[in-house]
Every structure is written in C-alpha cells, then in structure tokens.
Amino acid sequence: MTDRYAVIGHPISHSKSPLIHSLFAQATAQDLEYTAIEGHPGAFAQDLADFQRSGGKGLNITLPFKVDAYACATHPSDRARIAGAVNAIKFDGDRVLADNFDGVGLMRDVEHNLGIPIRNKRVLILGAGGATRGLIEPLMACQPAQVWMANRTLSNAQALANDLAGVGHINTSTFAGVDGPFDIVFNATSASLTGEAPPLPPQAIGSGALAYDLVYGKGLTPFLKFAQQACPDVVVTDGVGMLVEQAAEAFAWWRGVRPDTAEVIQRLTVPLI
C-alpha cells in the first residue's frame, strides 16, 4: 500500500517539496505519494488531525505553521525544543513525533556541498526570527569561533540570544552596529522577498567570505548583490541547497534511507545573475 506524506503551509502552491520528495522516492525505490496541503490559519491542529486520521504517515511544515506544529507535538526532539518550532512530523500510533531539520540542512549544505568548514569561523546571522531560531543549535555544534546576530530591532535579537543562551554565546547588535569582518554571513531576514537588502555596513563582509541567502529561486538577491559590491572575492549562494538537504533529512527520518541530493539541487538551482 502506498504511504502518504505531504507538506502543509499557507500559501503552499509555490512549494518545491512535492517535486523534491517525488524525486527522492524514485531514486530510492520508495512506494509513497507526496502532496501539498493548503493549511488554514488558526486551524492547524484540525488539519493535522485530519491528515493523520486519513492515514497520513508524515508531514513537512512550512510557514506559517512551524510554531503551531511544535504545540501539537507529543514527542518533540531536543532540536525542536530549542527552536520552539518544527518542520517535520511523523505519526507513531497516537504519538506525534516532531523535529526541525532546517538548521541541519543549512549546515550540511555549507560544509558538505560548498566545502566550507564552519569551525573557527566568525559567523554573522541577519535577522532574529523563526529561521534564525532554528539554525542556532546546529550552527553551534559546528564550533564557530564567534556567532553574531544582527537585527533591525535590537531588543528582539537580545531576547532570542537570551532564550538560546544554553546553546552558546551570541553577540547581538543592530545592523549598523555589526563589528566585522565576518567569514560567513547568513541572511535569515525576509528582506529578499520584498526586493530589499538589510542595511549592513560593507565592512561586515570579509575577504573570501561566504554570503548565504536563505531565500531560494530568486536569482541574485539584493543581499547577494550587496555582498558582491562589498567584497569582490565573496562566495554567494542562495538557499536551494538548504531546502533540498533539510528535505533529505526528513525523508531519511521517515523512510530509513537518505537520498543523494546533488542531482536534485542541480535541477532546482536558479542561476545567480
């Protein structure tokens, strides 16, 4: 019998997850179907229960339901507890198991796919929202020399750093107060979705740095253009590798086999021009 999985979000029509997981299933000979569900804001728990009751095996969760999914989890992972949000669920009888693979996928893309070690690097994260919350614990596990979080509203960055103090020390500032240069800069803000770049001083981008925009499929975003102008030898990339790698982690968690990601990443990559 074909096992059923899905991604739920609002809106969800843009999601690449059905394509990604269909390619994974073909490559690993797994008998499953994977669809997209348009979730209902304010009614996530009901949508979750309906999918489970219909025989669903697992879900990916995307915006704006990651915190709602955490609230519905009966057995969240330590990663999910630290993040306060989940992006993957699987059902085991009445148990709702939950994890957050966003940060793990990002770190694997940087270290494995891009070949850039994070250990002993100075790392800057732009933004203090849910995306940042999900990547801090996996980032700290890679043992960077320093982690700095910059946000438009300093109090929000300070509050998040305090919440995550048990994971490791995080320096905080406004964008203008960033003390560069940094070896790796992650743009975890939503600015690229609105055609803007965070107001970062050019000296934040170190020579040969990696500038990584978590947004994917938008080409050369304003943040990546800014990084290129700030430092000609910067390495720029978007979040397509993170998207595929976190999907592979969820697939392996569900099915017990981890698919190869290289061909899928290549297929989804949009030229950065």
Side-chain angles (χ1 to χ4, degrees):
M1 182 176 179
T2 302
D3 293 332
R4 294 179 55 233
Y5 297 86
V7 59
I8 184 169
H10 178 79
I12 199 61
S13 60
H14 67 285
S15 177
K16 302 295 185 184
S17 292
L19 172 60
I20 292 169
H21 284 276
S22 294
L23 293 172
F24 286 167
Q26 293 171 17
T28 57
Q30 295 291 302
D31 184 13
L32 63 85
E33 67 171 12
Y34 188 106
T35 58
I37 298 173
E38 186 70 39
H40 302 88
F44 175 81
Q46 185 61 54
D47 289 337
L48 180 71
D50 289 346
F51 184 72
Q52 183 179 16
R53 190 162 40 246
S54 70
K57 297 290 187 179
L59 279 168
N60 283 129
I61 299 92
T62 189
L63 296 176
F65 300 121
K66 294 184 180 184
V67 174
D68 296 302
Y70 177 73
C72 292
T74 62
H75 292 74
S77 69
D78 289 342
R79 260 195 309 261
R81 289 191 188 95
I82 291 169
V86 304
N87 80 331
I89 277 175
K90 66 179 176 180
F91 304 112
D92 181 14
D94 293 333
R95 301 197 307 164
V96 180
L97 285 66
D99 211 327
N100 189 318
F101 297 116
D102 287 333
V104 176
L106 176 56
M107 299 311 126
R108 180 171 173 84
D109 189 37
V110 171
E111 295 203 317
H112 179 77
N113 297 333
L114 301 178
I116 298 173
I118 295 172
R119 183 182 175 89
N120 295 327
K121 299 291 178 63
R122 295 191 77 216
V123 179
L124 171 62
I125 306 169
L126 307 179
T132 297
R133 183 179 285 272
L135 69 86
I136 290 293
E137 189 272 342
L139 172 60
M140 290 297 190
C142 294
Q143 299 182 312
Q146 185 183 56
V147 174
W148 196 292
M149 185 197 315
N151 195 57
R152 193 178 303 274
T153 304
L154 178 58
S155 60
N156 290 347
Q158 292 171 332
L160 181 54
N162 289 336
D163 286 348
L164 299 173
V167 180
H169 177 70
I170 305 170
N171 298 281
T172 59
S173 74
T174 62
F175 293 124
V178 166
D179 182 19
F182 288 90
D183 304 302
I184 299 173
V185 182
F186 294 119
N187 180 26
T189 73
S190 59
S192 293
L193 297 175
T194 57
E196 301 173 355
L200 197 65
Q203 61 268 27
I205 310 294
S207 177
L210 169 66
Y212 193 115
D213 202 325
L214 271 62
V215 167
Y216 64 91
K218 300 294 184 182
L220 198 64
T221 64
F223 164 69
L224 297 179
K225 289 178 183 177
F226 163 82
Q228 287 183 333
Q229 292 166 357
C231 191
D233 64 347
V234 70
V235 177
V236 297
T237 190
D238 70 0
V240 67
M242 172 185 175
L243 172 71
V244 176
E245 292 295 345
Q246 65 80 26
E249 294 291 332
F251 191 93
W253 186 52
W254 291 330
R255 308 299 295 182
V257 56
R258 195 183 196 285
D260 183 70
T261 56
E263 290 187 8
V264 180
I265 291 172
Q266 183 177 20
R267 176 165 176 171
L268 295 179
T269 294
V270 173
L272 298 180
I273 55 176

